[in-house]
């Protein structure tokens, strides 16, 4: 699963890697969350383009998005059959530039966040599917979901699902959905190779979406983890009892 990610590479570096024609100037983001606008690279009229889309896919047949489940991930095993994704995976595939993502693991009864990134430090491209939802008044909303796969044996130590990442050599194959050669992209929907990614524990400050700074991705020590756990424990409430008068034995507030 992928529910938060990071995009910190310089816009010029991402433009060169993904090859889109626009030159957007966007700030680094250290805590991207669902429902926020996120960058998506897509193929349109033979060229790659950069477009902002809402993270949380809305199929075209949804009448009222307020009552529809937020679809931030699409499982690779069922993406070809699920009504919400089966058209998008064939015709509307994209790439989401990123530099890593967060995952939470329960340790000692507490969820510890980890930052996961390529071991070589290079940016990555999440496999994505997208839809343009059209509302009853003609309003349009571009929406997107990240494709996930079962984790490999190393990343499975953190979570049983991982985002599918597409190698730069396969960008064109993933994005090109003009034909109906769906079999060509099936081998791409797999987890990273063992050793391709590395990870380390980070502060629970990442739990709060409002926190969005470079400190979030820094590793923290065992001592800092313990300190955060201690600070998160509920405080004991000390109840004050009324003073007792020595004159009449009745409770008194004075």
């Amino acid at each position: 699963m992928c529910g938060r990610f990071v995009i910190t590479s310089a816009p010029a570096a991402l433009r060169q890697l993904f090859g889109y024609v626009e030159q957007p100037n966007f700030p680094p983001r250290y805590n991207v969350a669902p429902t926020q606008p996120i960058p998506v690279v897509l193929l349109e009229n033979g060229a790659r383009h950069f477009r902002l889309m809402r993270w949380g896919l809305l199929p075209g047949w949804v009448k009222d998005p307020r009552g529809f489940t937020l679809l931030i991930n699409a499982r690779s095993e069922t993406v070809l059959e699920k009504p919400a994704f089966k058209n998008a995976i064939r015709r509307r595939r994209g790439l989401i530039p990123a530099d890593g993502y967060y995952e939470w693991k329960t340790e000692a009864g507490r969820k510890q966040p980890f930052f996961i990134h390529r071991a070589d430090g290079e940016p990555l491209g999440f496999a994505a599917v997208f839809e343009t939802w059209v509302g009853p008044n003609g309003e349009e909303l571009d929406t997107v979901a990240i494709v996930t796969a079962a984790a490999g044996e190393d990343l499975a130590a953190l979570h049983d699902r991982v985002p599918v990442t597409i190698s730069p050599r396969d960008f064109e194959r993933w994005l090109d959905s003009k034909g109906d050669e769906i079999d060509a992209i099936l081998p791409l929907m797999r987890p990273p190779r063992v050793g391709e990614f590395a990870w380390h524990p980070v502060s629970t400050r990442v739990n709060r979406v409002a926190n969005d700074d470079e400190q979030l991705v820094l590793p923290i020590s065992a001592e800092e983890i313990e300190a955060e756990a201690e600070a998160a424990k509920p405080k004991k409430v000390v109840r004050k009892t009324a003073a007792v008068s020595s004159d009449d034995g009745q409770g008194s507030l004075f």
Side-chain angles (χ1 to χ4, degrees):
M1 175 176 180
C2 181
R4 301 278 184 86
F5 71 90
V6 170
I7 176 168
T8 56
S9 289
L14 292 177
R15 180 174 181 267
Q16 182 176 14
L17 176 63
F18 288 90
Y20 45 81
V21 298
E22 293 80 8
Q23 299 187 50
N25 184 20
F26 50 88
R29 295 290 312 280
Y30 294 90
N31 201 4
V32 181
T35 74
Q36 294 178 349
I38 63 174
V40 180
V41 179
L42 63 149
L43 193 64
E44 193 173 60
N45 297 324
R48 297 183 194 176
H49 294 273
F50 174 104
R51 186 180 298 171
L52 289 176
M53 299 186 184
R54 190 198 76 156
W55 187 8
L57 184 140
L58 277 175
W61 42 262
V62 171
K63 301 300 182 184
D64 185 356
R66 293 172 297 180
F68 190 75
T69 303
L70 191 66
L71 301 176
I72 64 171
N73 294 151
R75 296 173 70 94
S76 60
E77 299 91 338
T78 57
V79 70
L80 291 174
E81 291 82 32
K82 290 289 185 181
F85 306 120
K86 65 180 183 180
N87 291 327
I89 188 62
R90 288 176 170 82
R91 298 293 181 183
R92 290 173 287 280
R93 298 189 295 270
L95 292 165
I96 298 173
D99 288 272
Y101 66 101
Y102 299 102
E103 196 54 81
W104 282 256
K105 180 183 179 182
T106 300
E107 296 183 336
R110 165 180 180 270
K111 287 190 175 182
Q112 174 61 48
F114 289 82
F115 177 56
I116 305 168
H117 56 92
R118 282 183 57 96
D120 59 12
E122 291 297 311
L124 51 93
F126 292 141
V129 292
F130 62 90
E131 287 281 9
T132 298
W133 179 79
V134 180
N137 298 318
E139 66 273 27
E140 294 186 355
L141 180 64
D142 293 327
T143 65
V144 65
I146 295 172
V147 180
T148 68
E153 61 181 285
D154 55 350
L155 285 167
L158 297 180
H159 199 276
D160 62 350
R161 305 293 300 178
V162 294
V164 170
T165 53
I166 304 297
S167 168
R169 67 176 178 274
D170 294 318
F171 281 177
E172 192 68 20
R173 180 153 57 126
W174 176 259
L175 292 173
D176 186 5
S177 56
K178 293 190 299 295
D180 200 23
E181 301 296 328
I182 194 68
D183 290 343
I185 60 105
L186 295 182
L188 303 181
M189 293 191 290
R190 55 171 177 75
R193 298 184 304 274
V194 172
E196 188 176 349
F197 278 66
W199 59 89
H200 56 256
V202 294
S203 171
T204 52
R205 290 184 59 244
V206 74
N207 296 353
R208 190 165 183 264
V209 175
N211 293 328
D212 189 355
D213 58 77
E214 60 187 6
Q215 300 296 314
L216 296 181
V217 300
L218 298 181
I220 63 173
S221 65
E223 291 77 13
E224 290 171 313
I225 292 174
E226 287 300 320
E228 287 194 342
E230 190 64 30
K233 289 181 179 178
K235 305 301 181 184
K236 290 184 178 179
V237 178
V238 179
R239 297 182 180 275
K240 293 184 178 180
T241 57
V244 177
S245 168
S246 58
D247 293 330
D248 55 13
Q250 299 298 314
S252 174
L253 297 178
F254 305 100

